Amino acid sequence: MKRPVILPVVLAGLLSLSACSLPIRQGGNVEIQAEARRLAAVQLGKLDGLVTPEEREQVVGQLEWLLSLRRLRENGGEREPSPREEQLVSRLNQLYEDYTRRYLGDLGSWSADEEKIEQLTAYTVKDGGLEAVEGKDAYQDLWNQVGAMLPEGSLDAFDRFTVFTDGAEEILAYVVPTDDAGARWELAVDPEDAGDGASFAETVMHEYCHYLTLNNGQVDYGGQPTYGCYAESDLAARPNSYLNAFYRTFWSDYLDDRLADPETYGFYLRHSDDFLTSYAATSPSEDIAESFAYFVLYDQAEGEGLQARKQNFFYAYPELVTFRDQARARMGL
């Protein structure tokens, strides 16, 4: 089943997040060379033990150039990447894609087909109850089914509930802000996909995480990114937000490569061991949502691999542990 999405996230252009990365440490060329070799290993991922020494040096050379340009820009107080930096990121991505074809097989691609979504009913939410404003009032039980999985009061910020369909096994649900600040939200669910209990629970937790990580207490819509902070095209995560901490911990070394070609499946092939699902590899906001669903629904992960660390990331937040405990109790887990 295709994973549901919050707002089709339009990723920003190449290196749009370099302004949100940590400034390059001061030092000489030796330091840049060492950092370039470290980043090469991270960005090559599964290719790290497969490429030839010559292929690795191609990557390292491009990264040294990129890091040098970035340092000059940041030392000059410039936030936006230069066209030359963008060209280097694109060139690096092409090297990674070529090596992926050579050593890991066909790249494939993410589906870009437009889904045919038919709205069935639209409700407004008032005092926890529903009032149908469009379509037939036949889906109150679906709203109750979602609410039964979540701790009491979890849907208080939602003022709209939409029931839609795009056919079975396509988009199951999505959430989206209903105001410019991200304070009020809409939940949409496809009843044709709500019969599979396990899949439905995973999707509800995934979508609820989008609300938790992208509401007005966590991000600024239309805000300007700062160093160390994650951003997408229309929002900037706050420094102490869940999403920014997740980005800093797991994504800062290779997000530029993901943004260089968002449609390719090659990025996931290079880094499949880093993600709980292939859909998680599309962006940090989808990765944190997939990881949150596993955190809530399954036992604490064992081991020190990235998949386990992502699933266990949320245990650092007592309020999210409380959410997990209450949700699991309501679901009988």
Side-chain angles (χ1 to χ4, degrees), residues 15-328:
L15 272 178
S16 63
L17 295 177
S18 356
C20 296
S21 61
L22 294 176
I24 301 297
R25 298 187 302 273
Q26 296 301 310
N29 290 336
V30 172
E31 185 179 9
I32 289 180
Q33 291 166 3
E35 179 66 0
R37 292 192 177 280
R38 185 191 72 81
L39 283 176
V42 173
Q43 294 185 10
L44 284 166
K46 287 188 172 182
L47 295 170
D48 189 40
L50 301 175
V51 295
T52 67
E54 293 76 17
E55 289 167 339
R56 181 186 302 279
E57 287 308 307
Q58 278 190 293
V59 170
V60 171
Q62 298 295 307
L63 283 169
E64 286 183 21
W65 194 356
L66 176 61
L67 291 172
S68 297
L69 290 174
R70 188 175 293 172
R71 169 177 291 182
L72 288 172
R73 169 173 57 80
E74 291 172 348
N75 286 346
E78 293 293 329
R79 185 168 59 192
E80 295 300 321
S82 67
R84 190 59 184 143
E85 288 175 75
E86 293 181 347
Q87 291 171 2
L88 285 167
V89 170
S90 181
R91 184 178 297 174
L92 279 163
N93 174 261
Q94 189 59 60
L95 284 175
Y96 299 147
E97 294 288 281
D98 290 345
Y99 298 162
T100 301
R101 290 187 186 90
R102 187 172 304 162
Y103 296 108
L104 298 178
D106 182 41
L107 297 181
S109 64
W110 301 106
S111 174
D113 294 339
E114 292 292 328
E115 306 293 349
K116 184 178 180 181
I117 295 178
E118 175 189 359
Q119 179 174 295
L120 302 176
T121 301
Y123 292 95
T124 58
V125 183
K126 294 182 179 179
D127 300 322
L130 300 181
E131 178 182 331
V133 292
E134 296 178 41
K136 185 178 180 181
D137 181 8
Y139 300 101
Q140 300 256 352
D141 288 346
L142 193 56
W143 171 261
N144 295 334
Q145 186 179 351
V146 173
M149 298 181 185
L150 301 169
E152 192 71 29
S154 295
L155 295 174
D156 287 352
F158 288 76
D159 54 21
R160 184 177 174 90
F161 176 53
T162 298
V163 182
F164 72 95
T165 188
D166 58 357
E169 299 186 353
E170 294 291 345
I171 295 175
L172 194 157
Y174 64 84
V175 295
V176 61
T178 58
D179 63 9
D180 292 340
R184 307 299 301 173
W185 286 71
E186 171 188 354
L187 168 66
V189 177
D190 185 345
E192 290 198 35
D193 293 322
D196 183 332
S199 178
F200 188 62
E202 287 184 5
T203 301
V204 168
M205 295 306 165
H206 174 110
E207 293 304 321
Y208 196 75
C209 184
H210 282 316
Y211 160 70
L212 284 177
T213 57
L214 298 176
N215 68 66
N216 63 320
Q218 294 282 312
V219 305
D220 294 311
Y221 286 85
Q224 290 296 317
T226 57
Y227 285 119
C229 293
Y230 175 75
E232 290 176 3
S233 58
D234 61 344
L235 62 86
R238 295 181 181 178
N240 294 324
S241 65
Y242 303 133
L243 183 55
N244 191 56
F246 192 88
Y247 155 72
R248 289 279 300 275
T249 303
F250 300 114
W251 275 84
S252 59
D253 282 341
Y254 56 35
L255 182 58
D256 286 342
D257 183 44
R258 169 75 284 177
L259 294 178
D261 189 353
E263 297 302 322
T264 180
Y265 200 68
F267 177 84
Y268 175 68
L269 294 180
R270 294 190 289 277
H271 303 289
S272 58
D273 291 344
D274 296 359
F275 299 99
L276 287 159
T277 69
S278 61
Y279 188 71
T282 57
S283 71
S285 58
E286 298 300 343
D287 194 11
I288 194 173
E290 290 285 80
S291 301
F292 182 79
Y294 276 66
F295 159 72
V296 173
L297 296 172
Y298 303 110
D299 292 340
Q300 187 166 358
E302 298 180 356
E304 295 299 323
L306 278 178
Q307 292 183 17
R309 289 173 57 202
K310 287 178 178 180
Q311 183 175 334
N312 295 339
F313 166 83
F314 308 94
Y315 286 101
Y317 300 93
E319 69 276 15
L320 298 183
V321 174
T322 298
F323 178 98
R324 178 184 188 270
D325 292 342
Q326 293 177 354
R328 290 174 63 85

